[in-house]
Amino acid sequence: MQEARRWLNLKPETWNLKRQGREARRGRLRARDVALNLPLLLGTLIVAALFAVVLFGPLWAPENPYLVGTRGLLLVDGELTSPPWPPSEKQPLGSDQWGRDILSLLLYGTRNTLVACTFITMARLILGLLLGAIAGWNEGTLADRTIMGAIGVTTSLPLLLTGMILIFALDIRRGISVFIVALCLLGWGEIAQYIRSEFLSLRQRPFIEGARAVGLRGVSIAVRHILPNILPQLIVLGLLEMGAVLMALGELGFVGVFMGGGTRQENSLERLVTIPDIPEWGAMMADSRLWARAKPWMVFYPALAFFIAVVGFNALGEGLRRLIERAAVSTAFLLSKRMLVVVAVVTAATVYIVNNVGPAPSYARLASTFDVEKAMEHVRALAQMRGRRAGSAEGEAAADYIAARFQEYGLQTGGSSLSYFHSFNTRLVEPVEQPELALLAADGSVQRRFQHQVEFGFRIEGHGGSGHAEAPLALVGFSPYRQVWPWEAFKGMDLREHIVLALEGNAPPDFPTEALIRGAKGVLLVVEDPHEVRSHVQLADPARDTLRRPTLPILAITPAVADAFLQADGLSVAAVRERLEALRAERSPEWFVEELQSRARLHVALSEPREVTLRSVLGHWTGQDVVLDEEMIIVAAHYDGLGSDPDGTLYPAVNDGASGVATLLEIARLWHEAGYEPRRTVLFAAWAGGELTRSGAQAYFEGYGGGLSLLDTVAVLQLDRLGAGGDMLEISSEPRRLSDLLADAAGRLGVSVERGKPVSHPYQQIVNLRAPAAVIRWADSEVDPRLDTLIDRRKLQAAGEVINLALITISREAAW
């Protein structure tokens, strides 16, 4: 412990020894030395001003360059003019060739440019110090020769050309980090040479011999006695290096190499042009030679910023060098208590600056402007449309409402047509009488009646359809050991005058048809997913235009309903599953039929199938990048619901349906008002048929989406039940990258997430198979559809901000 304290004590113990050579001529530091040091005063003033701009510049900027797109024609004094525009009251320093305010670009660019410059300089100093110290302390060894050889190689390479190669190799589109890494690997050689020469010189001083005499060795001497003597010069070197790095960034920008690489677009002459999308001084210098004479303000102001910054850092470095030459500068203050305050202030400023560098803070600010009250207006409008059943007048009214909002918010039509609607034809049935499932007592009276769409729903697959049955139940099970069940395997199964109870997934897929053949009067299938008890009203098979005759009632029921029927026999769904697993363990290929004591009544009366045209509503923003606009993101929700039953029971679909649509509409409104322009194409989709087996989503992916379906869909955000539920935002996503991005967006906004839950709606399963997709909803948000009437504004606000932030990030970042 004592040795560690001695090792870390940077105050040289021999500082008060008699100084030799240059040190002997130094005097005490006086105020007059500072007052007459013009480079020091000028450099301090400029650097302090630059630091203030780094901290507060974005707050002073007239607009946010990260969110404001390019501008075309502008009406000025009755005349249409195109950018670049000269300085004016609205744009004090004028605009660039894309119509963006130069003052805003300078103020935002100061932070990006100087932060990158600072980190590059720090990395070069650290590399130069470490390698130079190793080489100087081990003169003539293999380490010295290797390091000096590396210095010779790096210094012999042209800095500008080598920097360009490294930046493009690391992918320029990754932004500021690529410039920091690439330029850190260059330019450290001169620093290492200087440090090596200083170590070689200081090693010969008497105080080093004295340190050895008192028992210090190796690194202890270097850290405690050599390093403090070169720290003042290292600070000066760092300031001078800042100027050199700024010059390198300016040169790279002048030849068109700048942070982010820019957005590629076609201009009016059908030529590819690159628009810088990260405000940075070097990017502002790009293509400057084309405008230097005709529009000098475009070049003058970024060049002036580089000039002032380089002069400031060089002047401060020169001023400190003169100060060090005139007076002895002790590094003992580094260990004083006052230094803790300085470190705390610098650390706080650094954390603030780093956290606010780049586009992410601007994305977060736009995401946080999600207005939950505006979203609630959409929720209320959709909730008044009585459940919005697919194919009903209320469902059509909902589609018209969404299309009107898309037009109001400036979205382009969703495909090759001039309409927001993308239609598909299907055939639907509907109950003409209230579907019924009841548990009967021994005397035939109703002991318990179950709720349609909550505890059971009818099926029309196979021979499912209308029918009435009152009969005892028969439990049917199939050994999981056997995988294939041909018709011969059912030999001897007698289901006459019984209603069959079976577990879906255990029974063969075509078992209801076999049950009909063997005399069953009805079929009850136990399903695990509560959403599967929603009635099927669509003839999803295009080859079928009517119900298959004869029909029998086939109902999907929840495990709780099945337990009610099994209770009289001392059974439960869990016990039946254990029995089936025992058959698997015994490798038995058999089935079993067991008559139950319970009786049931089933009643389903359906209309004849009718052909309807369902309309999904699609609107999009075209991407502004010639390369990335070939990629598309879809943000989607379904707008229709279960509607109502013949007995008047209403299923409002407020959280399940309306909340998702309201969220995507509010995001569209925000983007429109902010003038936000994505780099990738973004499709806003309100699917029809959210409760159907074949929905508007499936129709779109089968090619009904027009020209947009030809784009490469890189992500689909499916919004579902965003207004109520538990405290965790649930993300169901197959590609890890997409779920990580959503989780990161939620984390930055303080929202807890959980992953891996199954999807709720059939169309979500279809989309997951067609493209990288995620379903976003609140956990534990499944409720009785009759009671789906409430929205928690805080949850809708939080979910809206997370989705908005994730969508902005995906639509803007080249490598997300």
Side-chain angles (χ1 to χ4, degrees):
M1 182 63 70
Q2 180 66 22
E3 178 62 25
R5 282 197 293 268
R6 293 177 62 197
W7 208 74
L8 293 174
N9 179 17
L10 294 181
K11 182 177 179 181
E13 297 177 359
T14 58
W15 189 265
N16 291 322
L17 294 176
K18 182 178 179 180
R19 298 177 178 86
Q20 301 177 3
R22 182 176 60 188
E23 287 80 359
R25 295 191 296 271
R26 295 177 182 173
R28 294 175 58 84
L29 180 63
R30 295 173 297 178
R32 184 169 178 270
D33 295 329
V34 176
L36 296 179
N37 192 333
L38 294 182
L40 180 65
L41 297 177
L42 176 63
T44 301
L45 180 63
I46 293 175
V47 172
L50 290 173
F51 188 71
V53 176
V54 169
L55 284 175
F56 307 112
L59 302 178
W60 302 333
E63 63 186 30
N64 189 334
Y66 288 114
L67 303 179
V68 176
T70 59
R71 297 182 177 94
L73 297 177
L74 183 66
L75 188 64
V76 179
D77 297 329
E79 295 184 4
L80 284 175
T81 60
S82 60
W85 295 301
S88 62
E89 182 178 350
K90 185 176 181 181
Q91 295 179 326
L93 303 184
S95 79
D96 64 6
Q97 64 267 46
W98 314 112
R100 300 176 301 181
D101 180 47
I102 286 180
L103 177 59
S104 299
L105 291 172
L106 281 173
L107 292 173
Y108 271 84
T110 301
R111 178 175 293 176
N112 291 327
T113 303
L114 294 186
V115 167
C117 183
T118 301
F119 278 101
I120 292 168
T121 301
M122 289 174 56
R124 286 183 175 183
L125 287 175
I126 293 171
L127 275 174
L129 176 61
L130 290 177
L131 296 178
I134 293 172
W137 192 255
N138 300 281
E139 182 185 11
T141 64
L142 177 61
D144 182 28
R145 293 194 298 271
T146 301
I147 292 172
M148 291 306 294
I151 292 173
V153 171
T154 57
T155 55
S156 66
L157 297 173
L159 177 62
L160 185 63
L161 180 60
T162 309
M164 291 173 58
I165 293 173
L166 286 174
I167 288 167
F168 283 110
L170 295 172
D171 191 356
I172 190 173
R173 296 179 302 172
R174 294 183 179 273
I176 189 173
S177 60
V178 169
F179 273 70
I180 292 175
V181 172
L183 296 183
C184 283
L185 300 176
L186 304 171
W188 55 269
E190 294 84 353
I191 300 173
Q193 286 178 317
Y194 174 79
I195 297 298
R196 179 179 181 274
S197 66
E198 287 293 305
F199 264 71
L200 291 176
S201 174
L202 292 172
R203 281 183 63 187
Q204 311 304 322
R205 299 294 177 88
F207 64 83
I208 298 298
E209 295 298 328
R212 289 195 179 99
V214 297
L216 294 180
R217 292 290 183 272
V219 180
S220 297
I221 297 176
V223 172
R224 297 186 58 205
H225 298 289
I226 296 182
L227 184 60
N229 283 282
I230 64 173
L231 274 179
Q233 290 84 0
L234 199 61
I235 295 172
V236 173
L237 198 61
L239 291 169
L240 297 176
E241 189 66 23
M242 285 283 288
V245 173
L246 280 169
M247 289 292 293
L249 291 176
E251 292 168 358
L252 287 168
F254 187 79
V255 297
V257 181
F258 45 81
M259 297 179 192
T263 300
R264 303 190 69 194
Q265 297 185 9
E266 285 185 358
N267 62 10
S268 58
L269 301 177
E270 296 186 356
R271 292 176 54 192
L272 283 179
V273 294
T274 302
I275 303 177
D277 49 16
I278 295 179
E280 179 250 328
W281 294 351
M284 297 176 70
M285 294 290 292
D287 295 331
S288 60
R289 62 186 180 277
L290 302 177
W291 303 94
R293 292 185 178 181
K295 312 290 182 180
W297 66 85
M298 290 178 52
V299 183
F300 176 75
Y301 293 112
L304 180 63
F306 271 116
F307 174 77
I308 291 174
V310 171
V311 167
F313 286 112
N314 284 346
L316 184 57
E318 173 63 18
L320 286 176
R321 186 192 65 78
R322 293 182 184 183
L323 202 64
I324 292 170
E325 283 188 349
R326 294 187 60 86
V329 178
S330 173
T331 57
F333 73 93
L334 293 174
L335 298 178
S336 67
K337 293 181 179 179
R338 288 175 297 177
M339 193 60 190
L340 295 176
V341 178
V342 175
V343 170
V345 172
V346 172
T347 301
T350 302
V351 169
Y352 171 79
I353 291 170
V354 171
N355 288 338
N356 287 274
V357 166
S362 297
Y363 297 166
R365 282 191 290 272
L366 178 59
S368 65
T369 58
F370 184 92
D371 190 340
V372 71
E373 293 305 322
K374 294 286 186 181
M376 286 301 300
E377 292 177 9
H378 301 309
V379 170
R380 286 189 288 268
L382 294 170
Q384 292 174 1
M385 299 174 188
R386 294 190 56 80
R388 310 178 301 283
R389 187 180 71 248
S392 68
E394 293 83 3
E396 293 299 293
D400 291 334
Y401 175 85
I402 297 168
R405 301 291 78 74
F406 279 6
Q407 184 175 22
E408 179 184 348
Y409 301 151
L411 274 74
Q412 301 175 50
T413 54
S416 57
S417 70
L418 299 179
S419 170
Y420 289 108
F421 300 116
H422 286 259
S423 305
F424 68 100
N425 296 325
T426 189
R427 297 182 67 82
L428 303 178
V429 300
E430 58 186 51
V432 295
E433 298 177 13
Q434 183 65 21
E436 181 183 10
L437 172 63
L439 173 63
L440 303 180
D443 59 0
S445 62
V446 175
Q447 185 173 340
R448 180 178 173 183
R449 183 172 279 110
F450 301 99
Q451 179 61 45
H452 178 229
Q453 304 283 32
V454 180
E455 295 173 301
F456 78 94
F458 57 80
R459 298 281 182 87
I460 59 174
E461 293 80 14
H463 285 270
S466 300
H468 181 88
E470 278 191 35
L473 268 65
L475 174 65
V476 180
F478 299 84
S479 172
Y481 176 72
R482 185 166 189 168
Q483 302 297 318
V484 180
W485 293 87
W487 66 270
E488 299 92 342
F490 295 98
K491 184 178 180 180
M493 181 181 290
D494 186 0
L495 302 176
R496 287 174 294 181
E497 301 302 319
H498 283 84
I499 296 173
V500 175
L501 176 64
L503 305 185
E504 188 171 59
N506 172 253
D510 60 347
F511 172 68
T513 299
E514 195 66 36
L516 173 67
I517 295 172
R518 304 204 172 264
K521 304 188 69 175
V523 177
L524 299 179
L525 295 174
V526 185
V527 297
E528 289 295 329
D529 185 355
H531 209 82
E532 286 298 316
V533 299
R534 307 288 171 84
S535 290
H536 292 190
V537 298
Q538 182 184 43
L539 294 173
D541 184 358
R544 290 183 58 193
D545 60 358
T546 185
L547 297 177
R548 187 170 295 165
R549 310 295 183 182
T551 64
L552 81 164
I554 301 175
L555 304 184
I557 63 175
T558 66
V561 173
D563 286 342
F565 287 114
L566 294 168
Q567 185 177 8
D569 294 271
L571 296 174
S572 66
V573 172
V576 173
R577 293 191 185 281
E578 290 178 2
R579 181 174 175 181
L580 294 173
E581 288 302 315
L583 291 177
R584 183 199 301 272
E586 296 170 2
R587 298 189 174 186
S588 170
E590 302 300 323
W591 47 262
F592 65 84
V593 176
E594 182 176 326
E595 187 169 347
L596 303 176
Q597 298 181 35
S598 298
R599 293 177 59 84
R601 177 190 298 162
L602 284 64
H603 179 73
V604 178
L606 303 178
S607 67
E608 287 299 317
R610 63 185 180 94
E611 184 168 337
V612 298
T613 299
L614 301 182
R615 302 181 298 169
S616 296
V617 191
L618 308 182
H620 76 281
W621 262 287
T622 301
Q624 297 301 304
D625 189 300
V626 165
V627 175
L628 294 181
D629 72 352
E630 296 178 359
E631 300 177 350
M632 182 171 64
I633 308 121
I634 300 176
V635 54
H638 66 280
Y639 67 82
D640 45 20
L642 297 173
S644 59
D645 276 350
D647 66 354
T649 301
L650 178 66
Y651 305 101
V654 171
N655 188 35
D656 188 354
S659 66
V661 173
T663 299
L664 70 86
L665 288 177
E666 172 57 12
I667 292 174
R669 183 193 69 82
L670 285 178
W671 287 16
H672 176 64
E673 291 189 357
Y676 173 72
E677 294 187 358
R679 296 176 68 182
R680 290 181 173 88
T681 296
V682 180
L683 175 66
F684 288 74
W687 304 127
E691 301 291 345
L692 303 181
T693 304
R694 184 174 183 272
S695 67
Q698 185 172 352
Y700 168 82
F701 281 102
E702 288 175 351
Y704 289 88
L708 289 177
S709 59
L710 301 177
L711 299 180
D712 181 17
T713 302
V714 297
V716 182
L717 304 184
Q718 305 187 80
L719 316 185
D720 186 20
R721 301 203 299 262
L722 300 177
D727 295 328
M728 306 283 282
L729 192 63
E730 189 175 279
I731 301 171
S732 305
S733 175
E734 181 63 30
R736 184 77 182 183
R737 183 176 65 159
L738 184 55
S739 62
D740 286 346
L741 182 139
L742 286 162
D744 179 67
R748 287 159 59 185
L749 296 172
V751 178
S752 300
V753 299
E754 68 177 27
R755 313 190 198 194
K757 296 287 181 155
V759 299
S760 299
H761 298 275
Y763 76 87
Q764 294 169 349
Q765 300 175 14
I766 297 295
V767 173
N768 285 355
L769 295 175
R770 300 298 184 102
V775 178
I776 304 104
R777 65 191 175 195
W778 289 103
D780 304 321
S781 54
E782 185 80 44
V783 298
D784 186 328
R786 297 170 299 174
L787 307 178
D788 185 9
T789 59
L790 300 178
I791 293 290
D792 185 331
R793 283 173 166 78
R794 293 176 302 172
K795 294 189 181 299
L796 186 59
Q797 176 78 38
E801 290 183 6
V802 170
I803 293 163
N804 196 11
L805 178 56
L807 190 59
I808 292 169
T809 303
I810 301 173
S811 67
R812 288 291 302 178
E813 296 299 312
W816 57 272

